[in-house]
Amino acid sequence: MTEHTPSDEIDPDASADTARTPAAGDVTADWNPRGPSVRRDPLAAYDGMRSYCPVARGVSGAWTLFAHADVTGAARDSQTYSNAVSRYLQVPNGLDGPTHTSYRALVDRYFTRERMTAVEPVVQRVARELVAELDVPGRIDAVAVGSRFAVRAQCAWLGWPADLEDELLRWMADNHAATRSRDRARTAQVAERFDAIIRSLTAARRVAGEHAPDDVTTELVRDRVEGRELTDEEIVSILRNWTGGDLGSMALCTGVVLTYLADHPDLQDRLRAGVSDRELDAVLDEILRIDDPFVANRRVTTEPVRVGGRQLAAGDTVFLNWTSANRDPKVFGDPDAFDPVGNAPYNLVWGAGKHVCPGRPLATLELRALTRAVLDATAVVEPDPGRPRQRGLPPVGGFSAAPLRLG
């Protein structure tokens, strides 16, 4: 949902070289963000880069920040590190300054505590119904379960028809493949396909007028910013980030969370014994910190800046590597040590600064509801030794396939 989701995946710019083109011979790359070592073991690769080259220049000329202090500093310095990184409108995460403030205020109204309380029973119902369809005992791919849940939960929240489920699932698969291909034309085509789905839904509400359904999508179509109605382009951008980003992020989160629980039966037992929503949310955030599936977000420098002994020029593309920052031993000690309370103040799973993820309340609610539904319907969630896990390939993290057994 904007800042800390895989929303860059539906930006046609994101699959291409987004850095400024360096002059011939003026770049010596410190690393390859999609090289063999990253593809083989992303966490180890990021940990290694943070250790010996915390501010690294990639083969494209773009910089990556790996250390917690550097990532946090850049995320909070929106003057030096601009979010306006794409040729395409991205509301609100691709905006800066007062313009971002206005649109962010609009978006935040949709994620208030009152609204989340109202939608919680709907999300819980969706989670229970989906889990009831699973074979217990039986085998699942946690990522596939998360994908289907994300589509159903988002459709229920936005008031979209249930018959969109298969179409959206196909789009998710095509979008991941296009992103991995790094083919800008292919990525743009997939993004346009998603925009067409959104425009059909908003157009239907405009035609219906006062007879349009009373749902979040209709409310957004009628909403206003800075004293005027939102444009179609702005509405599509907001819905693209809410849905396109959240569908991918919920699938990745589900894979990471259920896999971690399968590997830690003692934690499963503790959660089954009963914990508050607040305690469960802290557990989920800590699991995602240890293996953050939201690898990086882009920025562009507005002026020369020195970071970690490296000099960056104005106009340089900078990636904030959240996955690495969330495992920085200078902040967390042993990055794999499980400490939900102690690590919470430094956890960057949902971002930091002005662009911290506005959709966090809904994303957390969805993940909590699905986790509870799985635990309530099973006696055990365990690894499936007969089917290997598959790591997500850059630019996403987590797992592309997370096979588990339910008992």
Side-chain angles (χ1 to χ4, degrees), residues 125-134 145 148-149 152 370:
R125 173 182 56 77
V126 171
R128 288 194 301 269
E129 291 176 352
L130 174 63
V131 172
E133 297 173 7
L134 304 177
V145 170
R148 193 167 291 277
F149 169 70
R152 292 187 186 180
L370 183 57

Side-chain angles (χ1 to χ4, degrees), residues 82-86 88-96 100 241 355:
S82 169
N83 268 53
V85 296
S86 176
Y88 298 85
L89 179 65
Q90 295 182 316
V91 179
N93 56 311
L95 306 173
D96 292 321
H100 169 265
N241 278 307
H355 294 276

Side-chain angles (χ1 to χ4, degrees), residues 182-389:
R182 288 184 281 182
D183 182 334
R184 178 177 290 186
R186 182 179 176 185
T187 308
Q189 184 179 47
V190 173
E192 289 168 3
R193 201 172 101 209
F194 191 77
D195 287 0
I197 296 173
I198 295 175
R199 290 182 189 278
S200 69
L201 295 164
T202 57
R205 283 159 174 76
R206 292 190 187 282
V207 170
E210 63 180 15
H211 301 294
D214 182 16
D215 56 31
V216 170
T217 302
T218 298
E219 182 180 358
L220 185 64
V221 167
R222 296 171 178 170
D223 215 334
R224 303 175 68 84
V225 64
E226 297 178 342
R228 62 166 177 80
E229 291 184 353
L230 291 167
T231 66
D232 284 348
E233 186 181 15
E234 290 165 342
I235 293 169
V236 168
S237 177
I238 292 170
L239 286 171
R240 183 195 304 127
N241 278 307
W242 282 357
T243 52
D246 191 58
L247 298 182
S249 63
M250 188 53 53
L252 293 173
C253 286
T254 302
V256 169
V257 166
L258 293 186
T259 295
Y260 190 91
L261 293 179
D263 292 343
H264 297 82
D266 54 334
L267 180 58
Q268 272 192 65
D269 293 342
R270 175 185 154 197
L271 299 183
R272 291 180 198 279
V275 295
S276 68
D277 285 350
R278 183 175 180 179
E279 291 173 306
L280 179 54
D281 291 350
V283 166
L284 297 175
D285 280 356
E286 177 68 349
I287 293 173
L288 295 175
R289 179 199 65 77
I290 293 170
D291 190 356
D292 190 343
F294 313 134
V295 178
N297 285 111
R298 288 176 291 164
R299 301 289 193 269
V300 62
T301 53
T302 60
E303 60 187 53
V305 59
R306 194 164 184 82
V307 187
R310 308 296 294 271
Q311 185 64 45
L312 282 59
D316 276 354
T317 294
V318 180
F319 287 90
L320 312 186
N321 192 304
W322 309 103
T323 302
S324 171
N326 265 327
R327 295 177 54 81
D328 193 334
K330 291 183 179 179
V331 176
F332 302 104
D334 177 359
D336 293 306
F338 185 78
D339 184 5
V341 176
N343 291 332
Y346 315 104
N347 192 324
L348 299 176
V349 165
W350 304 104
K354 291 176 62 175
H355 294 276
V356 66
C357 179
R360 175 181 182 174
L362 180 60
T364 300
L365 166 59
E366 290 176 349
L367 191 57
R368 181 202 315 143
L370 183 57
T371 302
R372 285 201 187 279
V374 170
L375 293 177
D376 288 346
T378 61
V380 64
V381 179
E382 57 188 4
D384 187 344
R387 297 184 297 162
R389 298 169 186 173

Side-chain angles (χ1 to χ4, degrees), residues 47-64:
D47 287 348
M49 289 302 300
R50 186 187 57 247
S51 176
Y52 72 84
C53 191
V55 180
R57 199 164 198 180
V59 292
S60 71
W63 297 90
T64 299

